[in-house]
Amino acid sequence: MEEHSYNLFLGCVIPNRLPQIEAATRLVAPKLGIKIEEMKGASCCPAPGVIRSFDNETWLAIVSRNISIAEENGHDMLILCNGCYGTLIAGVHALQDPTTLERVNKLLAGVKRKVKGSVKAKHLTEVLYKDIGMERIEETITRPINARCAIHLGCHLLKPSDIRPWGTVEDFTVVDELVELTGATVVDYKLADMCCGAGGGLRSAELKVSLDMVREKLEAIKQAKADCLVNVCNFCHLQFDIGQVQVNKEFGTDYQIPILYYTQLLGLAQGFTPKQMGLDKHYISVEPFLEKIGMSL
Amino acid sequence: MLDRRIIDGNKFNQKLADEMAEAGYDRIRACIQCGTCTATCPAGRRTAYRTRQLIRKALLGLREEVLSDPTLWLCTTCGTCQERCPRKIEITDAITFLRNLAVEAGYMRPEHRGVSHKFIKTGHAVPIDDEKWSKLRESLGLPPLPPTVHCYPKALREVQKLLKKTGFDKLVEYKGDD
C-alpha cells in the first residue's frame, strides 16, 4: 500500500481546545495510508483574523518560520484548520516573490533559520480528495452512516480563490462527495455558504455579532431537519459547538445540533467507536445523532 | 447617528489611497461604488459595517475617520466581497491592511491586545493555559502537551525573538508577564 507522508500542522485550537479532532485524525490517517510527521516546535500559524490584522510583517515572519520547519524534511503540510490553511497557503504564496523571500530570510537569519517556500500547504480535503482519492477512502469504510448531514465548509477553504487549488467557489462539491462517501446524505439549507462568524477577530472582540451569525445558520440547519452538521475547520467547529451553547444562553434558544468534524464522521464509518473519535468530549451532545445511526457513547 | 453629513471637500487627499496602492492594493482606485461588497457581506447585514462606505472614505483620504471607525473590526474576513467584486479589488486584504494602519495609529481592542499578549508569551494565540486542557488531551490518549512550542522552550524563544525583531511586542504594548 502506497504511503503518503505529510507534516501535520496542528495550530492552536485543535491541540489546545479540541484535541478530540486531533485524536480522531491520528486514528483515521493510517487507514488511508497517510503517514504523519510532526512539526516539532511549530507555533500559532499565526491566526489571519487577529495577528495578520494587526501587523502583516509579524504574520509573515512567523508563518515563514513555520514553513521552514516543514521544509526540514520537505513533505507537504497537512492542515486541519481553515485559518491555519489560509495563513500557510498565503505564506507559501508570498514567499514565491524573490524580494519578499530575501526580506523574510534576513529576519529568520536572526534565529538561524532559512525558508524557501518550497513545500505546499494542503487542506485535509485536498489531501483526501486529490492525493488519497475517493476509491482508496471508500475501501476503508466498513460501517456506512445512514444519516442526513448538513455541511459547513468554512470561508478560507475556498477563498481567496486565486490562491486555492479548486478553481471554483460556487460549484464546490468536494466535501459533499466526501460526506456522501460515508453513506450519509447531504442536506442543503439556507445560507449554507455563509460564514460561521468566528473569524476576523470577531469571536474575541465582537462575540455577540459573531454568535448572531452562527445563530442564523443553526436555525437554518434545524429547519432543514439535519441530524448533524459536518465541518472541515476546527474554528468553525468550535463556533458551532461551544458557540451553540453560548447562542442558547444569549438568545434564549434551545438548539441541540450535533457537530462533527469530518475525520470524526469518517472514523465512525471506518469502525472506530464514538469514544475513540472523542464524541463524548463535545459541548452539544452527539447522542441524538449516534442514536439515529444505531450507536451510542 | 447616520452618516448623512456633508463632507468638507478640503479634507480630500490621495495620501491614504497612495499608501494602499503602494502596499499592493492599487485596484482600489477602480472602485465604481456598485455596492456588491456591502450587499454580500454577512456582517454588514446585521451591523453598521458598510464596506462600500469604508472604501469610499479611504479613497477620499479621510484617514483618521477610517482608522478610528470601530466597524472596521466587524469584518470576519470571509472573503465573499473580494470574490464577487466586479472590479476585482482585493477588498478583504485591503480591509486587513487598513486594520494594520489602525493598530499602528493606536486603535486596538483590548481583547485583541490580550490575544496578542498570549501569543507572545506562549507562541499560541489559544494556548494551554489551564491544566484541564492537558487532562482533556490525556483522556483521549494524546500526550499532555502537543509537539508545538508548548513542548520546545527553545522554539518558543525563537518565536519571541522574531516578535521582538518585527516590533510586535511594542506594537501591542507587551511588558512581560501579565
Side-chain angles (χ1 to χ4, degrees), chain A residues 10-17 19-20 22-23 26 38-44 46-47 49-58 61-62 65 106-111 113 155-156 158-162 169-170 191 194-195 197 199-202 204-206 209 212-213 215-216 275 278 281 283, chain B residues 25 42-43 45-47 70 73-80 82-84 93 96-101 103-104 108-109 111-113 115-116 118-119 123-129 133 136-137 139-140 142-143 146-150 152 154-159 161-163 165-168 171-172:
Chain A
L10 285 170
C12 298
V13 170
I14 286 189
N16 303 340
R17 290 295 179 277
Q20 56 269 35
E22 182 183 339
R26 287 185 189 277
E38 305 298 342
M39 286 181 64
K40 290 176 185 166
S43 66
C44 175
V50 281
I51 309 301
R52 194 179 192 182
S53 281
F54 309 153
D55 186 42
N56 194 67
E57 204 62 12
T58 296
I62 304 298
R65 180 187 170 274
K106 269 188 193 153
L107 271 168
L108 291 188
V111 293
R113 283 193 173 273
C155 303
H156 299 148
L158 304 176
K159 296 174 279 186
S161 61
D162 56 343
V169 170
E170 310 286 344
L191 302 169
M194 194 183 104
C195 174
L202 264 74
S204 53
E206 292 283 355
V209 177
D212 187 49
M213 290 173 74
R215 180 200 56 78
E216 198 173 1
K275 274 204 171 127
K281 311 296 183 196
Y283 292 77
Chain B
Y25 310 112
R45 216 162 56 227
R46 66 198 73 240
T47 67
W73 297 94
L74 289 169
C75 165
T76 66
T77 70
C78 77
T80 311
Q82 185 156 322
E83 291 298 326
R84 296 185 181 168
D93 298 341
T96 306
F97 177 70
L98 289 172
R99 285 178 168 189
N100 275 210
L101 296 181
V103 169
E104 201 185 340
M108 189 177 202
R109 299 287 293 265
E111 296 89 346
H112 288 155
R113 207 168 274 130
V115 173
S116 304
K118 276 187 189 174
F119 176 45
H124 280 295
V126 184
I128 291 187
D129 47 7
W133 304 121
L136 176 61
R137 290 183 56 82
S139 74
L140 287 151
L142 297 166
T148 62
V149 277
H150 271 333
Y152 299 93
K154 190 177 157 267
L156 175 58
R157 283 196 295 276
E158 264 181 35
V159 170
K161 203 169 171 185
L162 285 171
L163 294 176
K165 267 192 133 178
T166 62
F168 190 69
L171 182 73
V172 300

Side-chain angles (χ1 to χ4, degrees), chain A residues 96-128:
Chain A
Q96 305 310 308
D97 170 49
T99 321
T100 306
L101 184 67
E102 197 188 328
R103 196 173 83 237
V104 168
N105 272 322
K106 269 188 193 153
L107 271 168
L108 291 188
V111 293
K112 297 189 177 67
R113 283 193 173 273
K114 198 173 180 343
V115 74
K116 292 181 285 197
S118 61
V119 290
K120 283 193 180 131
K122 291 183 173 176
H123 190 275
L124 169 79
T125 50
E126 185 186 358
V127 166
L128 293 178

Side-chain angles (χ1 to χ4, degrees), chain A residues 10 12 31 41 52 115 148 170 182 201 225 242 253 274 284:
Chain A
L10 285 170
C12 298
K31 289 209 175 221
R52 194 179 192 182
V115 74
R148 289 164 51 84
E170 310 286 344
T182 68
K225 297 188 169 46
I242 300 179
T253 48
I284 293 288

Side-chain angles (χ1 to χ4, degrees), chain A:
Chain A
M1 189 166 84
E2 197 197 346
E3 261 199 347
H4 298 257
S5 293
Y6 297 94
N7 282 301
L8 178 65
F9 187 82
L10 285 170
C12 298
V13 170
I14 286 189
N16 303 340
R17 290 295 179 277
L18 304 172
Q20 56 269 35
I21 295 175
E22 182 183 339
T25 307
R26 287 185 189 277
L27 285 173
V28 163
K31 289 209 175 221
L32 304 165
I34 294 175
K35 187 168 182 283
I36 289 174
E37 301 283 350
E38 305 298 342
M39 286 181 64
K40 290 176 185 166
S43 66
C44 175
C45 57
V50 281
I51 309 301
R52 194 179 192 182
S53 281
F54 309 153
D55 186 42
N56 194 67
E57 204 62 12
T58 296
W59 169 85
L60 186 61
I62 304 298
V63 66
S64 299
R65 180 187 170 274
N66 283 327
I67 293 166
S68 80
I69 294 174
E71 283 175 355
E72 285 169 17
N73 64 23
H75 297 306
D76 290 341
M77 289 176 279
L78 163 60
I79 305 154
L80 310 174
C81 165
N82 288 4
C84 300
Y85 176 60
T87 275
L88 289 160
I89 203 167
V92 171
H93 178 75
L95 294 175
Q96 305 310 308
D97 170 49
T99 321
T100 306
L101 184 67
E102 197 188 328
R103 196 173 83 237
V104 168
N105 272 322
K106 269 188 193 153
L107 271 168
L108 291 188
V111 293
K112 297 189 177 67
R113 283 193 173 273
K114 198 173 180 343
V115 74
K116 292 181 285 197
S118 61
V119 290
K120 283 193 180 131
K122 291 183 173 176
H123 190 275
L124 169 79
T125 50
E126 185 186 358
V127 166
L128 293 178
Y129 196 79
K130 295 195 173 180
D131 297 357
I132 307 302
M134 299 294 269
E135 260 177 53
R136 178 86 181 265
I137 302 169
E138 198 167 12
E139 284 166 15
T140 69
I141 291 167
T142 54
R143 189 170 54 192
I145 306 287
N146 182 17
R148 289 164 51 84
C149 304
I151 57 177
H152 175 81
L153 301 173
C155 303
H156 299 148
L157 176 65
L158 304 176
K159 296 174 279 186
S161 61
D162 56 343
I163 53 166
R164 294 295 185 278
W166 308 111
T168 180
V169 170
E170 310 286 344
D171 302 325
F172 182 81
T173 58
V174 168
V175 178
D176 301 61
E177 289 173 51
L178 285 168
V179 168
E180 296 206 325
L181 201 61
T182 68
T185 305
V186 171
V187 294
D188 202 4
Y189 62 98
K190 184 183 158 194
L191 302 169
D193 294 334
M194 194 183 104
C195 174
C196 72
L202 264 74
R203 240 197 98 80
S204 53
E206 292 283 355
L207 185 62
K208 201 166 174 182
V209 177
S210 168
L211 292 177
D212 187 49
M213 290 173 74
V214 77
R215 180 200 56 78
E216 198 173 1
K217 294 208 63 151
L218 288 165
E219 179 58 32
I221 295 161
K222 188 182 167 187
Q223 297 293 334
K225 297 188 169 46
D227 298 315
C228 70
L229 174 86
V230 179
N231 65 81
V232 290
C233 167
N234 54 270
F235 199 39
C236 302
H237 181 104
L238 183 146
Q239 173 81 338
F240 275 101
D241 193 23
I242 300 179
Q244 195 170 166
V245 177
Q246 293 169 308
V247 162
N248 287 341
K249 206 171 160 192
E250 182 75 36
F251 300 98
T253 48
D254 187 27
Y255 296 116
Q256 295 296 332
I257 299 164
I259 309 299
L260 279 87
Y261 187 81
Y262 181 69
T263 49
Q264 293 180 306
L265 179 79
L266 181 61
L268 290 179
Q270 287 178 338
F272 289 107
T273 67
K275 274 204 171 127
Q276 282 177 303
M277 295 296 99
L279 294 177
D280 55 329
K281 311 296 183 196
H282 286 216
Y283 292 77
I284 293 288
S285 172
V286 185
E287 296 262 27
F289 167 73
L290 291 173
E291 204 174 302
K292 165 94 191 196
I293 60 169
M295 289 189 213
S296 61
L297 273 174

